[in-house]
Amino acid sequence: MERFATLAICLFLVACNSEIYTRDGVTDGDTFTLSRRAMAGGDPVLQSWVVYSLGKAACQLETGGDIPSRVSNYGCEFMARRILAESWDEKRQANPSLSDPYLDTLVRVRDAGYLDEYVVRYFGRKGWQVPAEVDPERFDAWQRANLRRHRPETRITGSWSFARTDSTIP
């Protein structure tokens, strides 16, 4: 259910406007804008990354803080990678000839049950609160056998722009 709610929000925001960042119904000047290519592109790989980008931006906004666009936490990255893998897997099932080396690998990681560990290993930052069930040692053996020479990717399809916060700057 959470997946469908996130995707529905993302699709609604894309349909209505390319800017999705608001607080209490109004923008505070910080906006997340999808590129024109992302808005119009029908490429399944690109559209999977649009889902990632919108999901992560929405999570950052929901998390809040002084500058939500700069939020970096385990929950947002994990959720965004999970919906990225789900989006790609659905597209691949609909069209088995689709292939993307990174996205195919991400689906394999998810299917093996190591998405949590993958996110922590490849994207983790100091200060992240990680669930206790994340087991990096168990992931190590699987990683050595299945992810040789792996390079993680992030293809954000939009950008944040920031409002000035100092009114004395001309």
Side-chain angles (χ1 to χ4, degrees):
M1 184 61 142
E2 175 187 349
R3 179 183 99 184
F4 294 113
T6 301
L7 290 176
I9 291 168
C10 291
L11 292 173
F12 172 76
L13 293 169
V14 169
C16 294
N17 192 335
S18 64
E19 294 181 354
I20 68 162
Y21 178 72
T22 60
R23 182 181 292 167
D24 298 326
V26 297
T27 183
D28 63 0
D30 291 350
T31 57
F32 183 83
T33 305
L34 287 173
S35 66
R36 290 183 192 267
R37 182 175 152 249
M39 292 289 289
D43 174 43
V45 172
L46 176 62
Q47 291 307 308
S48 291
W49 283 103
V50 166
V51 169
Y52 167 86
S53 299
L54 289 173
K56 186 167 182 183
C59 183
Q60 290 170 312
L61 177 60
E62 186 176 309
T63 300
D66 290 338
I67 306 174
S69 59
R70 296 193 179 142
V71 166
S72 174
N73 65 35
Y74 164 81
C76 288
E77 190 63 45
F78 174 78
M79 182 275 306
R81 295 280 161 183
R82 189 191 72 216
I83 64 172
L84 172 61
E86 290 171 359
S87 174
W88 180 246
D89 195 28
E90 289 171 5
K91 287 171 179 41
R92 246 186 7 182
Q93 287 179 22
N95 183 353
S97 67
L98 291 176
S99 180
D100 178 85
Y102 178 77
L103 295 176
D104 294 344
T105 298
L106 188 65
V107 170
R108 277 192 12 240
V109 169
R110 183 208 58 191
D111 290 350
Y114 290 111
L115 190 56
D116 292 282
E117 290 80 4
Y118 177 87
V119 167
V120 171
R121 173 65 43 90
Y122 289 103
F123 303 100
R125 299 225 176 128
K126 195 175 195 174
W128 273 15
Q129 292 183 346
V130 178
E133 61 270 9
V134 173
D135 187 352
E137 290 79 27
R138 191 171 64 95
F139 178 62
D140 287 343
W142 187 89
Q143 177 189 21
R144 282 191 297 277
N146 294 279
L147 298 179
R148 293 180 182 260
R149 294 181 291 281
H150 176 67
R151 293 187 182 243
E153 295 182 20
T154 301
R155 302 179 213 167
I156 299 285
T157 59
S159 61
W160 286 99
S161 59
F162 305 98
R164 287 191 195 158
T165 56
D166 184 350
S167 60
T168 63
I169 298 174

